Amino acid sequence: MNDGVVIIPTYNEKENIENIIRAVFGLPKNFHVLVIDDGSPDGTANIVKSLQNEFSGRLHIIERQGKLGLGTAYIAGFKWAIENKYDFIFEMDADFSHNPEDLVKLHKACAEEGGDVAVGSRYVSGVNVVNWPMGRVLMSYFASKYVRFVTGLNVADTTAGFVCYRRQVLETIGLDDIKFKGYAFQIEMKFTSYKCGFVIKEVPIIFVNRVLGTSKMSGGIFSEALFGVVRLKLRSFFRKYPQKKNLA
């Protein structure tokens, strides 16, 4: 039996992708990996495909044409994971900013500790970020404070991209109703899960800035998060959210 699928979106991650895949498969849990590659010109997808024989049945890839956005990559992955009946579905970056060993902690928070959503949190126990410029640390930290203030969401790291979902969450929240594509996507997923009555647990992690490859963060991504939060909150007043069904 597998312990869930780890979805890794990629765009030009040839320096990292083989190492991150091997790191996940080296864990004591039997995780599968789904790479969503947005037409990386550097050959990232070819590296993944070259590893599929070695990890037959555990390593999967969806190739898309062009950069279609982080949110749409995860939505495509979530739908694939639901279709393939994975009980636990993870989001993780390809660049080792998320430590693959923490997947085990996220899995435990959902599988054994009552969480429906487990968030790998940089801010639940202080500020655990390594190698980021101070300006970016402050921007990220206060962005999460701002999101909490506007939405009422009791999560310290609202923009975190290292997350485990129970399948029931993704089946309930209405993936086609998720509007945002960039980093606001992460906020919207947590906010919607919360509005649907799911239990969100934060697991402290240490986030390490990428060593290899190029960051995908931009000012446009950040402003989407800033202004999108207000739209998200306003929209919530007029939307009826499907509610979590307690499984017998």
Side-chain angles (χ1 to χ4, degrees):
M1 174 184 153
N2 72 72
D3 291 293
V5 62
V6 181
I7 301 173
I8 304 177
T10 55
Y11 184 78
N12 286 351
E13 291 289 357
K14 70 176 183 183
E15 296 99 336
N16 293 307
I17 193 61
E18 179 171 352
N19 290 336
I20 199 82
I21 287 168
R22 291 191 182 281
V24 173
F25 289 146
L27 294 170
K29 293 285 185 187
N30 181 25
F31 295 122
H32 290 192
V33 171
L34 170 64
V35 174
I36 315 273
D37 187 70
D38 271 7
S40 299
D42 73 348
T44 299
N46 291 333
I47 295 169
V48 177
K49 287 187 281 194
S50 73
L51 294 170
Q52 281 186 302
N53 281 342
E54 184 178 346
F55 300 111
S56 180
R58 292 180 70 192
L59 178 58
H60 311 276
I61 184 169
I62 293 174
E63 293 182 82
R64 308 195 306 165
Q65 299 307 309
K67 291 181 77 171
L68 301 175
L70 183 75
T72 64
Y74 275 127
I75 297 291
F78 292 159
K79 289 181 174 179
W80 182 93
I82 290 168
E83 204 176 294
N84 287 278
K85 298 283 191 287
Y86 287 95
D87 290 328
F88 300 99
I89 297 123
F90 300 80
E91 301 180 0
M92 188 173 78
D93 291 349
D95 61 8
F96 284 94
S97 53
H98 302 141
N99 183 345
E101 291 180 12
D102 288 332
L103 288 166
V104 177
K105 291 195 274 188
L106 294 180
H107 179 268
K108 185 179 180 187
C110 285
E112 300 173 28
E113 296 172 358
D116 297 308
V117 181
V119 176
S121 177
R122 297 164 289 188
Y123 306 129
V124 75
S125 60
V127 178
N128 293 309
V129 177
V130 178
N131 291 343
W132 258 11
M134 185 49 69
R136 189 168 169 191
V137 173
L138 292 172
M139 184 173 78
S140 172
Y141 179 75
F142 285 108
S144 271
K145 291 274 190 196
Y146 163 79
V147 172
R148 291 180 74 171
F149 174 73
V150 173
T151 63
L153 182 59
N154 188 25
V155 173
D157 193 352
T158 52
T159 59
F162 194 22
V163 186
C164 174
Y165 295 95
R166 284 182 173 275
R167 185 173 77 229
Q168 186 198 2
V169 177
L170 301 180
E171 288 173 333
T172 302
I173 64 176
L175 293 173
D176 290 333
D177 293 325
I178 300 294
K179 303 292 185 206
F180 293 114
K181 304 289 186 284
Y183 278 71
F185 164 81
Q186 301 292 3
I187 301 165
E188 185 175 9
M189 286 293 296
K190 295 175 189 70
F191 180 71
T192 308
S193 300
Y194 155 72
K195 294 294 280 186
C196 292
F198 289 103
V199 175
I200 302 175
K201 283 186 166 286
E202 287 191 89
V203 175
I205 63 155
I206 295 173
F207 180 96
V208 181
N209 195 27
R210 66 160 63 237
V211 175
L212 299 171
T214 309
S215 171
K216 314 302 186 292
M217 177 63 87
S218 71
I221 285 171
F222 187 72
S223 65
E224 182 203 56
L226 203 62
F227 300 113
V229 172
V230 177
R231 292 206 303 276
L232 189 62
K233 181 64 175 177
L234 290 173
R235 213 162 54 220
S236 74
F237 293 127
F238 306 100
R239 182 177 168 195
K240 188 168 167 35
Y241 291 86
Q243 291 301 296
K244 173 184 177 179
K245 293 181 179 65
N246 288 316
L247 302 176

